[in-house]
Amino acid sequence: MKRVVVCLALLAALSLSVHAADGTHSHDFVLTAETPATCTAQGAKVYTCECGETKTETIPALGHDFAQTWTVDREPTCDTPGLKTRHCSRCDAVTDLLSIKQTNHDFLITTIEPTCTTAGSRHLVCQNCGKEMDDNIVPALGHAPGLWVIEREAACETDGLRSRSCTRCGVKLETVPIQKTGHTWKDTVVPPTCTEAGYTLHTCRACGATKQDHPVKATGHSPAADGVTIKAPTCTEKGEQRARCTTCGETVSVAVPALGHRYSDTPTVDKQPTCTAKGEQSYHCLRCDARRDVTSLDRTAHKRQSVDLAATCTKGGAKGRVVCAVCGKELESGTATAALGHNYVQTAFQTAPTCTAGGSAIMRCTRCGAEKRQTLAALGHQYGTAWVVDRAPTCTAQGEKSHVCVRCGKRADVTSIPKKEHRLVYDVVVAPTCTEPGKSSGAHCGDCGKILESAGVIPATGHDYKVVEVYEEPTCTKAGSGRGRCAACGAQADVAIPARGHSFETKWTIDKQPTCTAQGEQSHHCTVCGKRKDVTTLPRKAHTVVTDKGRDATCTRDGKTAGSHCAVCGKVLEAQTVLKAPGHKLKAARTPATLKTNGKIVKTCKRCGQVVSKEKIYRVKSCKLEKARFTFDGKKKTPALVIRDKKGNRLKEKRDYTLTYDKGRKQIGFYTVTVTFRRNYAGEKTLRFRIVPRRPVGLDAAQTPTRITLSWEPVSGATGYAVYELVGSKRQKLCETEKLYVKLNDRASGHKYTFTVVALTKTPDGVLRSDDSAPKLTATKPAPLSLSATRSGQRAVLRWNNAGDCEYEIYYAPKRNGKLVCIGTTKGTSFTTGVYPHGRACFKVKAVVRSDTGVLSTQSSDVRQLWL
């Protein structure tokens, strides 16, 4: 084969040399490029000779291949028809456009019943396209007023309220006040004390409200001379001493006069003068450092310093320049020097130039770093002189070579390289194995893998297993199993092991020994599995007699008489008689439990001295009042107690403890109950409970845009009141007062607030607080409204200022004194009305703050008149 290839190469070389000598050439065209034909355009094949000559062969256009089946390009809908065509299988061309009939609406109908304020209708929704529409509109029913209902009874100072609502929707339609009844007073004279003024107290017999008049000034405290200094006086502030009042015994504060300033005789420099600012001096107080006679100090002279200013690329400098060394002020400008100008150097490519496209570079000044951009020309291609093999030839395909640009890799002078001959390789003979067949010798190409000579098949030999591991041993009657290994290939598999058969002994084996109650048994056994044959019985034995001793009875254990039984089978031959135990005769010793330690009860037998039982008495762990806080109602309070031991067991009154209460227990104040333990418990404990004032009632509010005034009815026994604001789930304390009202200023206009009041009673043991009053939801009045109206065709555009967190009602009347009718509501600060006929139109805006139960506060604007 190699000789043939060499000869052919020599002949080709001789042929080329002959052609070159004669000056003639025979073209050998090879297909180098192909453009396939399409439905509408021709294709082409380009053939090239190694000398560079080419020829082109035209391929006719294919024409369209339209499908026989239709393609739906657009699905039909309820409103628009669809479209179907036949498509070409090779390109996107279509033919035979046909319309598909549109579908009809499939409406799902929902009926909406009319209400008092909203109209009813049928709502239709297409289940295909989702289109919605309404028809069969029924007007709103309007409200149906019900009977009058009293919401709040009239009281002494507050009007009552009655209202009626719609019987269909429950909306409140009208509210009418009920006239208040007025107070019926009872007079009581309260004398003055050291701290509190005297007065005449008038109490309403109906509601308990109070008022005061005819005040008498408090007598004032009479402090003792031996007071204790709490706060020393300073130059400007008074001091304080604590002393006991000789009249009421209360510890009171006594003011000590301020000392006044004591100034130094020499001045102190408070601020040193500089060359830019004056200084300051004054005389200081020796105690508090207060100042007087403040005097300014003259500025100092500038400190001259010669500093040259260096020139830059864009700015000139200066020589002989003089500045102040302290403040930096320029004193002499010196001689000016010119700017240096930029010194640009190329630092990096912004866009590197290529063979076909220009680039740009960044130029940077070496002094100041300023940058500028410079344009660079394209480099042009630079082809190498040596041939580059782009694709090496193989035995199945030609190769390719060209000249390549060293910068961008573009190819030129592309030339084909002839195919190679197949490289013959003989296949290795494969011997067969236990499971895989073998094969005989064959041949293939070492480069492309083409089979040049087919190989034959040798059948597999199969496994030859030997047992190497036993899973289950074979028995006399049953085959075993194990793991076998092939002697040839080492493969492993499960194999069966044959059964062994029985092997019986010649001697007798006693299977069951004879006793005094049962016969025995003997047989011949298999030495492997133990199976029996020739089974024979053995006769019973006689009883073995054993004597049972007797014993005397004790407090806790029975006694018995003597007897006998068989030592082998246990059969009773002579029965024993039981002598009953008399039991313990007990005496008890008790150690009571306390609040801190456990106790115990120890029981001992008087006959034998044995400790029969030890009972632990657990200490008292908790001792609490079932209720430690009561509201004043004029009745005696006797709270029950809950006392438990460490294990949670509840102690019983009179058996485990007794109670002693303070006397009275009717008025507001602190009281005690004393627990005295007995029997199994020892010790004493005192608990405290309290009677607090009633919670305030009649909480009411009066509003302005920035203030809310709260008032409430007096509480018997209260010495003051605490006012709280409820914010979400939290309660925020606002103030404490002794009056029956409080003014809350600086509130936001048109905002809702919730308040509650607590009654306070001061006692020597502390302050007692009532429960919170019922919360009062109120709102400040909205801010005054300033309404403006402009015309937009036959509509009016209304605008007003923000009055707070409220809703705005818009009213209309055809004339200034006409009846105003509500035409809409909004949360915003502008409103565009509907179309009205030409002529006069009057509008008013009302700001309303509402709650779930009704209107809290309102504010109305002036009426605005507009010609439409």
Side-chain angles (χ1 to χ4, degrees):
M1 180 69 75
K2 290 182 179 179
R3 291 176 181 175
V4 172
V5 172
V6 171
C7 291
L8 290 173
L10 291 173
L11 289 172
L14 290 172
S15 176
L16 288 172
S17 63
V18 169
H19 287 312
D22 297 343
T24 61
H25 175 66
S26 176
H27 293 297
D28 182 13
F29 288 105
V30 176
L31 180 65
T32 57
E34 182 176 359
T35 301
T38 64
C39 296
T40 57
Q42 294 180 339
K45 291 184 180 179
V46 178
Y47 297 90
T48 306
C49 179
E50 63 180 359
C51 68
E53 186 71 20
T54 62
K55 71 176 183 177
T56 302
E57 179 182 332
T58 302
I59 304 172
L62 301 176
H64 291 300
D65 179 19
F66 290 109
Q68 296 300 315
T69 58
W70 294 91
T71 299
V72 177
D73 299 313
R74 185 179 68 236
E75 293 288 346
T77 66
C78 300
D79 298 319
T80 57
L83 181 68
K84 65 179 182 179
T85 59
R86 289 193 296 117
H87 286 233
C88 176
S89 61
R90 284 189 287 266
C91 66
D92 294 332
V94 296
T95 187
D96 301 336
L97 277 74
L98 288 181
S99 176
I100 304 173
K101 185 178 180 181
Q102 68 188 48
T103 60
N104 295 322
H105 289 295
D106 182 11
F107 285 111
L108 176 66
I109 303 174
T110 304
T111 302
I112 302 172
E113 296 295 334
T115 65
C116 297
T117 56
T118 59
S121 64
R122 285 199 318 164
H123 187 65
L124 293 81
V125 180
C126 178
Q127 299 183 75
N128 297 329
C129 66
K131 181 178 180 180
E132 299 185 22
M133 59 185 294
D134 292 317
D135 66 0
N136 293 349
I137 297 175
V138 181
L141 302 176
H143 292 296
L147 298 175
W148 289 97
V149 177
I150 295 177
E151 293 187 4
R152 184 175 69 243
E153 295 288 348
C156 297
E157 289 187 337
T158 56
D159 292 337
L161 188 69
R162 65 173 183 163
S163 65
R164 61 176 177 173
S165 304
C166 176
T167 57
R168 276 193 289 268
C169 65
V171 171
K172 188 178 294 185
L173 303 177
E174 291 182 79
T175 58
V176 177
I178 304 172
Q179 187 67 32
K180 60 187 176 182
T181 59
H183 291 294
T184 305
W185 301 108
K186 176 185 175 182
D187 301 336
T188 305
V189 177
V190 179
T193 65
C194 295
T195 57
E196 296 182 355
Y199 54 88
T200 300
L201 178 65
H202 305 279
T203 306
C204 180
R205 289 186 173 89
C207 67
T210 61
K211 67 177 182 178
Q212 300 173 8
D213 58 11
H214 304 299
V216 180
K217 289 185 178 180
T219 58
H221 290 294
S222 300
D226 54 346
V228 178
T229 300
I230 302 302
K231 177 182 176 184
T234 65
C235 297
T236 56
E237 294 183 358
K238 295 179 180 181
E240 182 183 0
Q241 283 188 347
R242 291 285 176 87
R244 184 175 296 276
C245 178
T246 58
T247 302
C248 65
E250 183 180 347
T251 301
V252 296
S253 297
V254 180
V256 180
L259 301 175
H261 293 299
R262 181 185 171 190
Y263 290 101
S264 173
D265 296 331
T266 57
T268 300
V269 177
D270 300 316
K271 179 182 177 184
Q272 292 290 344
T274 66
C275 54
T276 58
K278 292 183 178 182
E280 195 174 74
Q281 67 177 12
S282 63
Y283 292 89
H284 285 226
C285 177
L286 299 176
R287 279 192 289 265
C288 69
D289 207 32
R291 299 192 302 160
R292 70 175 176 83
D293 301 335
V294 180
T295 308
S296 62
L297 301 175
D298 293 335
R299 292 186 296 180
T300 60
H302 288 296
K303 184 178 179 181
R304 297 173 62 87
Q305 182 180 10
S306 179
V307 177
D308 290 337
L309 180 64
T312 65
C313 297
T314 57
K315 291 183 180 181
K319 289 186 178 182
R321 181 169 167 268
V322 178
V323 299
C324 177
V326 178
C327 66
K329 181 179 180 181
E330 186 178 69
L331 304 178
E332 294 180 15
S333 59
T335 303
T337 58
L340 302 176
H342 292 297
N343 181 28
Y344 286 108
V345 175
Q346 181 177 325
T347 58
F349 287 113
Q350 190 176 32
T351 304
T354 64
C355 298
T356 58
S360 62
I362 296 173
M363 309 294 288
R364 181 174 293 157
C365 177
T366 57
R367 280 190 291 268
C368 66
E371 294 182 353
K372 71 175 183 178
R373 183 173 175 272
Q374 183 178 10
T375 303
L376 304 175
L379 301 175
H381 292 297
Q382 182 181 347
Y383 292 103
T385 56
W387 288 99
V388 175
V389 177
D390 301 315
R391 185 177 69 247
T394 65
C395 51
T396 59
Q398 291 181 335
E400 198 171 73
K401 63 181 179 180
S402 64
H403 293 113
V404 179
C405 176
V406 297
R407 277 192 289 268
C408 67
K410 184 177 180 180
R411 298 191 303 159
D413 307 329
V414 180
T415 306
S416 61
I417 304 173
K419 292 191 292 185
K420 295 181 178 180
E421 294 291 334
H422 287 297
R423 181 166 60 86
L424 184 66
V425 175
Y426 288 98
D427 299 326
V428 178
V429 176
V430 179
T433 64
C434 300
T435 57
E436 299 291 335
K439 62 180 180 179
S440 59
S441 177
H444 67 276
C445 176
D447 295 324
C448 67
K450 182 179 180 180
I451 297 173
L452 305 177
E453 183 180 343
S454 299
V457 179
I458 305 172
T461 58
H463 292 296
D464 179 17
Y465 290 111
K466 303 294 180 184
V467 176
V468 295
E469 182 182 349
V470 177
Y471 297 151
E472 183 181 355
E473 291 286 351
T475 65
C476 300
T477 58
K478 182 181 177 183
S481 64
R483 178 166 55 89
R485 180 178 291 145
C486 178
C489 67
Q492 298 183 3
D494 294 338
V495 296
I497 305 173
R500 296 173 179 173
H502 292 297
S503 175
F504 290 103
E505 295 176 337
T506 56
K507 294 183 178 181
W508 290 96
T509 299
I510 298 175
D511 302 316
K512 181 181 177 183
Q513 291 288 349
T515 65
C516 52
T517 57
Q519 293 179 334
E521 199 173 72
Q522 65 180 6
S523 63
H524 292 114
H525 285 223
C526 174
T527 58
V528 178
C529 67
K531 185 176 180 179
R532 300 188 302 160
K533 74 173 183 176
D534 307 330
V535 181
T536 308
T537 59
L538 300 174
R540 292 188 298 176
K541 295 181 179 180
H543 288 298
T544 302
V545 180
V546 176
T547 302
D548 299 321
K549 294 182 179 180
R551 68 168 181 269
D552 295 330
T554 66
C555 292
T556 57
R557 188 178 65 174
D558 293 341
K560 59 183 176 180
T561 61
S564 65
H565 67 278
C566 176
V568 178
C569 67
K571 182 179 179 180
V572 176
L573 304 177
E574 183 181 353
Q576 294 176 289
T577 303
V578 177
L579 303 175
K580 283 287 184 181
H584 290 298
K585 189 174 182 181
L586 301 176
K587 63 178 180 180
R590 188 190 310 270
T591 303
T594 67
L595 293 169
K596 294 184 179 180
T597 59
N598 296 329
K600 62 182 177 179
I601 299 174
V602 180
K603 295 181 179 180
T604 309
C605 180
K606 292 181 180 179
R607 293 193 185 96
C608 63
Q610 179 184 346
V611 175
V612 176
S613 66
K614 290 184 179 181
E615 180 184 350
K616 181 182 285 188
I617 305 172
Y618 290 98
R619 68 175 179 84
V620 178
K621 184 178 181 181
S622 63
C623 183
K624 298 179 180 178
L625 293 165
E626 280 190 348
K627 187 175 181 182
R629 184 177 183 276
F630 299 85
T631 300
F632 170 74
D633 58 5
K635 297 179 182 179
K636 182 181 287 189
K637 307 301 177 187
T638 306
L641 276 78
V642 178
I643 304 176
R644 298 185 185 275
D645 64 14
K646 187 180 178 181
K647 284 293 184 180
N649 300 314
R650 185 166 180 173
L651 278 61
K652 292 184 179 180
E653 187 180 357
K654 295 183 180 179
R655 184 193 71 180
D656 299 319
Y657 61 89
T658 58
L659 301 176
T660 305
Y661 292 90
D662 282 348
K663 294 181 180 180
R665 310 192 303 282
K666 292 183 179 180
Q667 302 302 319
I668 296 171
F670 291 92
Y671 300 92
T672 61
V673 55
T674 303
V675 184
T676 304
F677 295 98
R678 60 190 297 271
R679 291 192 63 189
N680 291 345
Y681 302 89
E684 192 173 87
K685 185 176 179 66
T686 300
L687 302 174
R688 191 165 79 158
F689 65 95
R690 61 190 181 277
I691 300 175
V692 300
R694 293 190 184 98
R695 72 174 187 171
V697 296
L699 180 60
D700 203 354
Q703 315 97 340
T704 70
T706 59
R707 182 176 65 212
I708 294 176
T709 302
L710 298 177
S711 61
W712 54 90
E713 298 177 8
V715 176
S716 178
T719 60
Y721 302 90
V723 181
Y724 295 86
E725 181 179 350
L726 303 181
V727 182
S729 60
K730 296 183 179 180
R731 188 177 72 163
Q732 179 181 353
K733 186 175 180 180
L734 300 178
C735 64
E736 288 189 10
T737 180
E738 296 180 359
K739 300 177 182 179
L740 296 176
Y741 67 93
V742 66
K743 295 182 179 179
L744 304 175
N745 298 317
D746 299 327
R747 294 281 162 172
S749 301
H751 278 66
K752 300 176 187 177
Y753 298 93
T754 304
F755 302 97
T756 184
V757 178
V758 174
L760 308 176
T761 301
K762 293 182 180 179
T763 70
D765 296 324
V767 178
L768 293 168
R769 298 173 178 269
S770 72
D771 294 329
D772 288 9
S773 69
K776 177 66 177 178
L777 174 61
T778 184
T780 52
K781 279 186 173 293
L785 290 172
S786 176
L787 176 63
S788 66
T790 57
R791 188 177 64 184
S792 177
Q794 286 183 265
R795 301 176 187 267
V797 179
L798 307 179
R799 293 183 177 86
W800 56 89
N801 58 293
N802 186 352
D805 185 13
C806 50
E807 183 178 74
Y808 302 95
E809 296 177 349
I810 296 87
Y811 292 85
Y812 160 80
K815 56 184 179 179
R816 190 168 189 82
N817 297 325
K819 183 179 179 180
L820 291 165
V821 179
C822 183
I823 59 173
T825 61
T826 181
K827 283 280 190 179
T829 57
S830 64
F831 184 83
T832 301
T833 68
V835 176
Y836 289 97
H838 289 291
R840 180 183 298 173
C842 296
F843 298 98
K844 185 178 80 170
V845 175
K846 183 179 180 181
V848 183
V849 182
R850 287 190 174 89
S851 68
D852 295 336
T853 58
V855 175
L856 297 177
S857 64
T858 62
Q859 183 76 266
S860 297
S861 71
D862 295 332
V863 175
R864 290 292 179 215
Q865 183 174 276
L866 189 69
W867 287 91
L868 298 176

